[in-house]
Amino acid sequence: MKKIAGSDQAAIAQAARSLEEGRLVAFPTETVYGLGADAENPEAIAAIYAAKGRPSNHPVIVHLSAQADLHRWAAVVPPVAEKLINAFWPGPLTIIVKRAAYIPSAVSGGQDTIGLRCPAHPVAIALLAAFKYGQGGIAAPSANRFGHVSPTSAEHVIEEFSGSAEPIACVLDGGQSAVGIESTIIDLSRMDSKGLVLLRPGQITAEHIAAVTGMLPVSPDQSAPRVSGALDAHYAPRTPLALVRKSELDKVLAILKSRQRKIALLTCASGEMPKDAFVLAVKNLAPDAGHYAHGLYASLRELDGAHAEIILVEMPPQDTAWDGIQDRLRRAAFDSSGVLQQLCAAG
Ligand code: TXA
Ligand code: MG
């Protein structure tokens, strides 16, 4: 896969042509890197699913330029959507609304809704402006294999798809994604019965949304639409991961050390811990939600590379600014429940 500087205007124009021809282009956004395809081309969307190894009934987000005509994509744009768009676009907020009849259902995994987002990254903005004269939509999930950690740099995208023969024309390099975790997703498609439903927390919190709309979003119920990012297990490194409370960390470390385990460690300003035969890799992220989110996925990838038996993550703070981070860490840990107990057990 070719890596191309996102500052190269000719390359952006070329990437836009590739999308128009039905090929895939990976590109930076302020949240994470996306794997893009023409949202009006069902075959190109199918190629995204194939590349990611993702079930085809999972909907993808359509990225639009700030100039795009929303009514081409949405059957209904409720007033609350206008408020949210004015407040947060371009930016890390995805809104779910009823899909316009003309838009292929492949993009929504067959559902009658559509997820729309206007990204704030300059390279994404330039790509959207060059694609179909700024009126197209780029369908793009995060540019990672299904269930794995999202990429926050062009190098991560290459790591994810190296060796695969998938039709990815190129990855546009836009540096490290500033936000670092995926967009907040708010469902506006069932306003009458459910109000605002927060499908995925992110940098934009429920409180931010309430401040703009006057309504506090609720958590999803059983009838909420499918969100692959809301599967219990998601966003996970290959190494098992366990969240440990700060008050228990020293005890757990002592037990694992006495069992001669090999661990990797992600701390939250607990101070420096040296690497040794027991701790194969350490990352420390400051206890500021923005800073922590920015570094989270790159840190998980680095710790994963240490091939430890487990990645221990010191539980970060619990207040609302951390909701998105807590959500991703819980899902990353989901498949590993029990591994920590096994490693601590004698014998
Ligand atoms: O920050 C982001 O949102 C990144 C960047 C690339 O924009 N994209 C991203 O896409 O995280 P993805 O596909 O990895 O996660 C999108 C989530 C999925 O969980 C999907 O199920 C949900 O959005 N989604 C998309 N359209 C939807 C719809 N119509 N109804 C319900 N959920 C939807
Ligand atoms: Mg994803």
Side-chain angles (χ1 to χ4, degrees):
M1 189 193 313
K2 273 184 302 184
K3 183 174 86 171
I4 295 172
S7 53
D8 178 344
Q9 282 308 312
I12 298 248
Q14 181 55 49
R17 297 298 85 75
S18 295
L19 288 171
E20 289 165 4
E21 287 160 10
R23 302 183 70 202
L24 306 184
V25 170
F27 63 98
T29 83
E30 75 279 27
T31 57
V32 300
Y33 276 63
L35 182 59
D38 179 354
E40 292 165 273
N41 180 340
E43 281 171 27
I45 293 168
I48 300 183
Y49 288 114
K52 280 188 61 107
R54 183 189 212 190
S56 62
N57 63 349
H58 287 224
V60 288
I61 294 172
V62 176
H63 297 69
L64 301 174
S65 79
Q67 287 71 43
D69 176 8
L70 270 189
H71 297 276
R72 249 188 96 201
W73 301 91
V76 193
V77 182
V80 65
E82 308 265 8
K83 285 189 190 167
L84 289 169
I85 287 169
N86 288 335
F88 298 118
W89 280 11
L93 180 76
T94 297
I95 59 168
I96 309 289
V97 289
K98 293 285 181 202
R99 174 169 48 88
Y102 143 89
I103 300 300
S105 69
V107 80
S108 301
Q111 302 180 61
D112 65 352
T113 55
I114 188 162
L116 301 174
R117 152 160 146 79
C118 177
H121 194 291
V123 174
I125 290 172
L127 181 65
L128 282 161
F131 173 62
K132 292 189 169 177
Y133 306 99
Q135 290 303 316
I138 303 180
S142 50
N144 53 275
R145 305 268 179 190
F146 184 62
H148 195 221
V149 179
S150 296
T152 53
S153 72
E155 289 72 27
H156 294 167
V157 177
I158 292 168
E159 243 168 67
E160 286 291 317
F161 296 103
S162 67
S164 73
E166 307 301 345
I168 304 175
C170 65
V171 52
L172 294 171
D173 187 356
Q176 281 181 21
S177 296
V179 175
I181 58 170
E182 303 79 357
S183 61
T184 302
I185 304 181
I186 185 94
D187 183 7
L188 311 175
S189 70
R190 300 174 303 147
M191 289 288 296
D192 296 346
S193 55
K194 307 284 178 190
L196 305 182
V197 183
L198 186 67
L199 296 182
R200 183 173 69 185
Q203 188 195 55
I204 294 171
T205 65
E207 278 70 16
H208 294 143
I209 289 170
V212 166
T213 62
M215 287 175 270
L216 191 65
V218 298
S219 304
D221 60 13
Q222 286 305 319
S223 64
R226 285 184 298 271
V227 183
S228 52
L231 294 176
D232 287 335
H234 216 73
Y235 309 110
R238 319 260 182 234
T239 312
L241 181 150
L243 275 163
V244 181
R245 280 178 212 291
K246 187 180 172 65
S247 57
E248 285 165 20
L249 191 60
D250 285 344
K251 195 178 76 190
V252 171
L253 286 172
I255 297 172
L256 289 170
K257 189 168 188 169
S258 72
R259 303 275 181 256
Q260 298 182 314
R261 301 302 189 186
K262 306 269 183 239
I263 70 151
L265 183 63
L266 178 60
T267 57
C268 186
S270 272
E272 286 302 296
M273 151 127 5
K275 276 201 261 182
D276 57 24
F278 163 56
V279 185
L280 303 186
V282 199
K283 293 296 286 182
N284 184 31
L285 294 172
D288 161 80
H291 180 275
Y292 192 105
H294 173 75
L296 176 61
Y297 289 157
S299 299
L300 289 180
R301 281 174 185 270
E302 199 179 314
L303 296 175
D304 211 7
H307 304 293
E309 290 172 275
I310 194 160
I311 299 172
L312 291 187
V313 178
E314 176 189 336
M315 185 88 80
Q318 303 269 5
D319 61 282
T320 54
W322 291 80
D323 282 353
I325 293 163
Q326 291 279 358
D327 170 81
R328 304 309 187 278
L329 286 174
R330 262 197 315 277
R331 296 183 203 288
F334 187 81
D335 269 348
S336 323
S337 64
V339 174
L340 181 58
Q341 283 85 334
Q342 281 165 30
L343 293 176
C344 286

